[in-house]
Amino acid sequence: MKDKSKVIFGNEIPEKVYKKAVKSKKKYMKKFGDDSNVNYPVIVRKNPVIGDSLGVQDIRLEDGVSPEEFDREKGIIVGNIRMGFGHYRISMAMASAAKALGYTPYWLDLNSFPETTCTKLISYQNDLYSLGSRLSRFKLFNKFVWEPVNYEGFRALSYNATDQKNAELMVPVFKNIPKDIPLIGTHVWPAQAAVHADMKYVVNAIPDNWPMALHFAEGAVHTIQCRNAYQGYKILNGMQKEKVNKPMPNDALVYTGHYIDHELVSNIDYDCAKRMERKANNKPMRFLLTIGGAGAQKEIFEAIIQYLLPLIRAKKAALYVNVGDYKNVWEDIRKEVPEVKDVAVEHFDDFAAASQFAQDAIDGDVEGVHAFYHKDIFEAVYITNLLMRSCDVLVTKPSELAFYPVPKLFIRRVGKHEMWGAIHSAEMGEGTLECRDIPHTLQMLDIFLQDDHMLGMMCDAIKQNNSIGLYDGAYNVVKLAMSLKD
């Protein structure tokens, strides 16, 4: 196998860059150890949270008798990492689509095996990324460090060369996983690691629509959610500054559409009709806030909650707040906006009850503020998906949620690459422009609340987009992965 850090899609990497990549791998081997000769055992067991709903089986590196066996005919592996919620959410969409199509999804989280060099490396880099996200609230750091790194730094082929070399340290995790089961990577590291580990059928589901070499896993089939990103990836646009690069082969890059869960796609028309019905009947307008743990946008969410409280008391608005697995974020909100506790119901660490609330809310009435916190990462992520069906407007940064079929109000991004999610969503008619400050965010809230024009336009756009298959990306990725076996 050729060295994937020396040549990327036919483009030779300068010797200086290659030596830097080799040095990076050696540094991490010294820091976290070399487990290339370790024989990690593998068992398969049903995921306790999304095992029934999404059919997910967990792949674990543990001794003992496996409760389940790999399905070599209908099995498909979803390779991911815990880095924020985004990659987990995309993985859930793939698992949901796989189950709907009659396949068995296996969940492989490379950031969940603390004894391995692989997880130690990923956790270390994840911590650095989280630190950058937190510091991005400071304007000078954001302007001169964070946005340039996320926009141009990750774009460079030199970055991919280093990533490919580091991914060689992740191979031991795959030693006892069957090589003939298709794998979908919802982050580039699982896709790169799978290719290095000689997995036969690998699909690399790229999350972002700003073309970056960060997302390359040569040897895998790369899928993208948006047509406007196709040419940028095809020609490796700007990935070696002004140099004209050799393009990706046609069979290495495929447009699929948005990666969305079957449960959401199959109910688009019904859920949009319920939104407009609530609006026509003057029911409280429901806003869903998804808040990460980095805290980069905490002041924006606090301003939104403060602004909406009088409208919530007047039963003109209602609010869902999901703080994921960061209970401290909710506690901070209660300190900064103490009045919220008078109208808030806390749905904490009882996923069955929270799920029932989300289901009942689709056809029922909702008032006040409903806060959600779950210690389990699967519950923390998936409750947002369940709440999406009954919300009227999702308030989020333009990350992976930018592609979901629900009316969206976009707040300030965290990383310049995310701005293209808001641009794409606005062009498709189902999301607002990115509101870069609090006054414009509150203005957009008012526009949604004052009449039904904005909401109606977005619901119509979502239904139209659905009719042309825009939200069928997860189905298409799964079909593509399984077709590689043929």
Side-chain angles (χ1 to χ4, degrees), residues 70-119:
F70 282 106
D71 185 339
R72 306 285 280 269
E73 180 182 354
K74 292 285 189 178
I76 186 166
I77 297 170
V78 182
N80 55 66
I81 65 169
R82 162 76 193 275
M83 181 175 276
F85 287 172
H87 301 285
Y88 256 41
R89 196 180 312 283
I90 295 171
S91 293
M92 289 176 178
M94 299 301 177
S96 172
K99 183 191 178 190
L101 292 170
Y103 300 115
T104 301
Y106 295 103
W107 192 275
L108 178 63
D109 178 0
L110 297 189
N111 201 15
S112 66
F113 308 121
E115 71 276 18
T116 67
T117 300
C118 171
T119 291

Side-chain angles (χ1 to χ4, degrees), residues 24 63 77 112 121 126 159 164 228 311 314 347 357 387 417 421:
S24 175
D63 283 313
I77 297 170
S112 66
L121 170 60
N126 188 21
Y159 191 92
Q164 285 280 15
N228 66 333
L311 296 164
H347 305 265
F357 170 86
L387 291 168
H417 64 294

Side-chain angles (χ1 to χ4, degrees), residues 115-131:
E115 71 276 18
T116 67
T117 300
C118 171
T119 291
K120 292 172 185 174
L121 170 60
I122 291 173
S123 294
Y124 175 76
Q125 295 187 90
N126 188 21
D127 289 343
L128 289 178
Y129 192 86
S130 295
L131 175 61

Side-chain angles (χ1 to χ4, degrees), residues 322-388:
N322 181 25
V323 296
D325 56 349
Y326 297 99
K327 194 173 185 179
N328 62 295
V329 173
W330 177 245
E331 291 169 349
D332 289 345
I333 289 172
R334 283 171 54 110
K335 289 177 185 175
E336 295 297 323
V337 191
E339 314 95 278
V340 75
K341 64 179 179 289
D342 298 330
V343 290
V345 177
E346 296 178 347
H347 305 265
F348 287 4
D349 266 337
D350 187 341
F351 187 68
S355 300
Q356 190 61 53
F357 170 86
Q359 180 62 38
D360 294 343
I362 296 170
D363 294 310
D365 291 333
V366 174
E367 296 177 357
V369 176
H370 295 267
F372 299 85
Y373 155 79
H374 294 90
K375 184 166 55 178
D376 180 90
I377 178 61
F378 291 97
E379 296 173 349
V381 175
Y382 200 56
I383 192 61
T384 289
N385 292 41
L386 298 178
L387 291 168
M388 259 190 270

Side-chain angles (χ1 to χ4, degrees), residues 139-278:
K139 290 183 179 180
L140 289 177
F141 178 85
N142 192 55
K143 181 178 180 179
F144 293 108
V145 179
W146 194 239
E147 291 228 323
V149 165
N150 275 273
Y151 203 62
E152 294 296 342
F154 293 160
R155 188 185 188 190
L157 274 185
S158 58
Y159 191 92
N160 185 255
T162 299
D163 253 12
Q164 285 280 15
K165 190 55 66 176
N166 291 337
E168 294 174 4
L169 297 174
M170 304 176 189
V171 169
V173 171
F174 290 84
K175 187 167 186 178
N176 290 306
I177 295 173
K179 302 298 185 288
D180 58 349
I181 297 181
L183 180 142
I184 300 169
T186 61
H187 185 282
V188 70
W189 292 337
Q192 289 173 346
V195 172
H196 284 295
D198 296 325
M199 297 292 287
K200 292 182 179 180
Y201 316 112
V202 183
V203 173
N204 176 28
I206 296 174
D208 294 319
N209 60 334
W210 168 243
M212 297 186 288
L214 160 74
H215 292 303
F216 284 150
E218 188 174 1
V221 180
H222 298 66
T223 64
I224 53 172
Q225 301 188 78
C226 309
R227 294 187 187 278
N228 66 333
Y230 186 90
Q231 289 185 37
Y233 277 111
K234 175 69 177 176
I235 66 171
L236 283 65
N237 189 42
M239 295 180 187
Q240 293 195 92
K241 299 188 183 297
E242 291 79 23
K243 183 177 179 179
V244 176
N245 296 306
K246 293 181 180 179
M248 294 178 70
N250 287 335
D251 59 0
L253 183 64
V254 179
Y255 164 78
T256 59
H258 298 186
Y259 312 140
I260 308 297
D261 310 62
H262 168 73
E263 293 74 21
L264 290 166
V265 177
S266 60
N267 287 292
I268 282 175
D269 287 349
Y270 185 83
D271 293 343
C272 283
K274 295 299 291 186
R275 291 180 184 112
M276 297 314 299
E277 179 184 309
R278 287 192 290 271

Side-chain angles (χ1 to χ4, degrees), residues 50-64:
I50 54 176
D52 291 327
S53 58
L54 302 184
V56 170
Q57 304 284 327
D58 286 339
I59 297 175
R60 304 301 305 165
L61 304 188
E62 297 176 11
D63 283 313

